[in-house]
Amino acid sequence: EKGIARWQSIITDSYDALDLAQTLVNTLPTIFKDEATHEGGVIRFWKRAQLAASHLSVFRRLECARLTALADYKIPSVLRNLGILRYERSLADRIDRGIEIEAGGQEELEIRAHTIAAIDQATIILQTKIPSATAIQLNDAFWVMSRKKSPNDKPPHRTRTIWY
């Protein structure tokens, strides 16, 4: 009962989805602390934590403007098929042949980081027409697009990981 009350307070005390995601990361790091060190810095993807906060915002009006794209394998594939993301030839060839990309390796981290950067840039552009648009909303729109398959689609990258 104490545990349930604690989670209810975490959800109801949060007004910002990113603050809730931070709380989830701090409270349950083995489930939510999706981070990597790259070139001396820490990259905080927090895909699961942001997804949980985004989903909970449906029940509790949380401000989602500070959430980023959810860097996994579906969104980069959509961005690649749209020509927004382009991979180096050798990486593209390996992805197209279904060869696994190392989890936490430079290529996987860069795919995920560039996905977030691309969504952020697209959000800025979209906000010139729809000022209230957020990166998480655009992410969700691209995720819906990923469900519609076309014969010309490039496959998503394959990576064994617990983070997506």
Side-chain angles (χ1 to χ4, degrees), residues 60-113:
R60 172 86 169 90
R61 293 189 188 247
L62 299 174
E63 176 56 54
C64 292
R66 295 192 310 145
L67 296 180
T68 64
L70 305 177
D72 60 11
Y73 68 98
K74 286 191 173 220
I75 305 304
S77 180
V78 170
L79 297 178
R80 183 180 181 212
N81 288 323
L82 292 171
I84 296 169
L85 282 184
R86 284 180 253 144
Y87 301 148
E88 174 190 86
R89 184 179 305 275
S90 66
L91 175 60
D93 289 342
R94 283 184 287 139
I95 291 171
D96 294 345
R97 290 184 291 143
I99 296 172
E100 190 173 310
I101 305 302
E102 177 188 0
Q106 181 171 336
E107 292 168 325
E108 191 240 357
L109 295 177
E110 288 181 359
I111 289 170
R112 295 181 80 199

Side-chain angles (χ1 to χ4, degrees), residues 63-65 123 126-138:
E63 176 56 54
C64 292
T123 302
L126 182 59
Q127 287 172 339
T128 63
K129 301 288 184 194
I130 306 170
S132 62
T134 65
I136 196 71
Q137 290 170 331
L138 191 54

Side-chain angles (χ1 to χ4, degrees), residues 132-150:
S132 62
T134 65
I136 196 71
Q137 290 170 331
L138 191 54
N139 178 91
D140 292 350
F142 283 124
W143 186 86
V144 168
M145 288 177 70
S146 78
R147 313 259 311 152
K148 297 174 183 157
K149 303 294 180 200
S150 169

